[in-house]
């Protein structure tokens, strides 16, 4: 982390977990133990049907609610889809875009780029995900792969807009597996992502971009991961479903930085 230049962001990704009623229960428990300090931004990205309950529960707090996906089109005949401006109107501040689980369902880099533009136009903060498979890591092509994903996701995003974008590095082999990347592995890729942003924009923009790590981040390993200079927060799946665990990760963001 480097709080001098950029925001630290601790974001939960609930995936397809919790009903609206369970959302309400979680928020009540979470609010009761939420750290009071203001050392990081907190986001909770929840299933679409849980957004109203989450927004209502968190209204008077500093927790921003997010969605886990959006459609790239502003409106129209896309049965079952949700447009970015609908999310804004529902009270969302964030939207996760290009999660590997959605890429596995067929989402392409072009789709992701279109969604990033839709999110920005709707006033949402996109949390843009990238990550390599174990095969790619073992083949030694992680850096090239991640650079390509980031360049394609950010195509046409202006200097003004990049300030609103959060990037999340999530190695696919670490998601939901309990097999976390080492702080060194995560730092290396996050640093490389910052270099890509520097080349696409400028040093100033790169320095100001929050780059998160995701993949089995939990209350035990968060401190060490967040101590890395280029890891500005976490995108947390499993551990964000339990208030006590999520709070411990937020607390881990309260450490001295460079
Ligand atoms: P995990 O999920 O923390 O359960 O590994 C992270 C994510 O997929 O965002």
């Amino acid at each position: 982390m480097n709080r001098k230049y950029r925001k630290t962001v601790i974001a939960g990704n609930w995936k397809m977990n919790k009903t609206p009623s369970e959302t309400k229960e979680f928020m009540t428990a979470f609010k009761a133990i939420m750290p009071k300090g203001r050392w990081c931004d907190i986001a909770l990205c929840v299933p679409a049907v849980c957004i109203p309950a989450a927004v209502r529960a968190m209204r008077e707090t500093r927790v921003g609610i997010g969605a886990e996906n959006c459609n790239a089109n502003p409106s129209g005949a896309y049965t079952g889809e949700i447009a970015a401006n609908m999310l804004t109107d529902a009270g969302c501040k964030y939207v996760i875009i290009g999660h590997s689980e959605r890429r596995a369902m067929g989402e392409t880099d072009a789709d992701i780029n279109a969604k990033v533009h839709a999110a920005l136009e709707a006033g949402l903060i996109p949390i843009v995900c990238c990550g390599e498979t174990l095969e790619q890591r073992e083949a030694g092509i992680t850096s090239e792969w991640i650079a390509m994903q980031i360049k394609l996701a950010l195509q046409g995003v202006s200097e003004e807009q990049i300030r609103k974008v959060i990037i999340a590095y999530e190695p696919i082999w670490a998601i939901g597996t309990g097999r976390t990347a080492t702080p060194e592995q995560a730092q290396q890729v996050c640093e490389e992502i910052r270099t890509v942003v520097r080349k696409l924009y400028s040093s100033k923009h790169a320095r100001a971009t929050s780059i998160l790590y995701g993949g089995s981040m939990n209350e035990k390993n968060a401190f060490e991961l967040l101590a890395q200079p280029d890891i500005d927060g976490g995108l947390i799946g499993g551990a964000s479903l339990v208030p006590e665990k999520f709070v411990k990760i937020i607390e881990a963001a309260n450490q001295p930085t460079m």
Side-chain angles (χ1 to χ4, degrees), residues 183-217:
E184 294 73 29
Q185 284 173 326
Q187 160 61 24
Q188 190 189 341
V189 179
C190 289
E191 190 181 350
E192 287 168 3
I193 292 171
R194 202 174 303 288
T195 304
V196 174
V197 177
R198 184 177 304 122
K199 287 186 183 150
L200 290 174
Y201 299 91
S202 73
S203 307
K204 202 173 79 191
H205 291 94
R207 206 166 57 191
T209 302
S210 297
I211 302 174
L212 319 183
Y213 167 78
S216 299
M217 193 192 255

Side-chain angles (χ1 to χ4, degrees), residues 43 49 55 108 112 114 126-127 152 157 190 201:
V49 292
V55 167
T108 66
I112 290 158
I127 302 176
L152 293 174
V157 171
C190 289
Y201 299 91

Side-chain angles (χ1 to χ4, degrees), residues 13 15 99-101 170 174-177 214-217 235-239:
N13 172 15
K15 310 191 179 187
H99 190 281
S100 59
E101 287 155 15
E170 297 205 308
I175 296 177
T177 58
S216 299
M217 193 192 255
L235 183 55
I236 298 121

Side-chain angles (χ1 to χ4, degrees), residues 17-66:
N17 292 295
K18 296 196 191 290
T19 61
S21 317
E22 288 164 350
T23 300
K24 207 174 150 193
E25 282 166 28
F26 174 98
M27 297 300 171
T28 306
F30 178 51
K31 268 202 284 195
I33 56 170
M34 206 168 76
K36 296 281 177 289
R38 284 200 156 264
W39 51 80
C40 67
D41 284 5
I42 305 168
L44 271 168
C45 299
V46 303
V49 292
C50 299
I51 291 169
V55 167
R56 211 173 304 125
M58 289 294 137
R59 196 169 284 146
E60 303 296 319
T61 74
R62 65 201 177 89
V63 178
I65 300 304

